[in-house]
Amino acid sequence: MTSDYLIGPYFFDGPVNGASYSAMLETWLIPELRDRGLLDDVWLQHDGATANFALSVRDVLNESFPGRWIGRGSPTPPAPLPWPPRSPDLTTPDKSL
């Protein structure tokens, strides 16, 4: 969800794990954002669920959203922003405090 677009939903066929999550990012979400001209401007926020923390997922996120993703293992400066697994809070953290 962005200020102008609602993208999705996406339904996984089978279990959600690191491989299926990174495949979804590469084959569906990133192309959707690119087609709308949003890929270089959007911040991706996700929780620290096991599938989201997989090394393959973090590699995709670091490549496609360099310094612009929030979640467990995020390299966002000045320090990673922790995000609990399955967090019901979808509000972006306010880093200005």
Side-chain angles (χ1 to χ4, degrees):
M1 182 171 27
T2 72
S3 61
D4 297 323
Y5 298 101
L6 176 61
I7 301 172
Y10 180 87
F11 297 98
F12 288 90
D13 185 25
V16 179
N17 54 35
S20 63
Y21 191 72
S22 61
M24 179 276 296
L25 291 171
E26 291 179 309
T27 63
W28 181 75
L29 181 62
I30 292 170
E32 288 286 327
L33 293 171
R34 187 178 295 120
D35 291 347
R36 289 169 173 78
L38 300 171
L39 186 60
D40 294 330
D41 298 321
V42 73
W43 279 66
L44 181 70
Q45 174 183 330
H46 68 148
D47 64 19
T50 305
N52 298 357
F53 189 62
L55 185 56
S56 61
V57 171
R58 288 182 283 153
D59 287 344
V60 170
L61 295 175
N62 286 330
E63 181 179 322
S64 300
F65 304 94
R68 296 187 333 268
W69 65 274
I70 300 168
R72 188 171 144 213
S74 168
T76 306
L81 298 170
W83 214 256
R86 294 161 290 287
S87 173
D89 183 8
L90 298 178
T91 306
T92 305
D94 183 2
K95 293 178 24 175
S96 65
L97 298 176

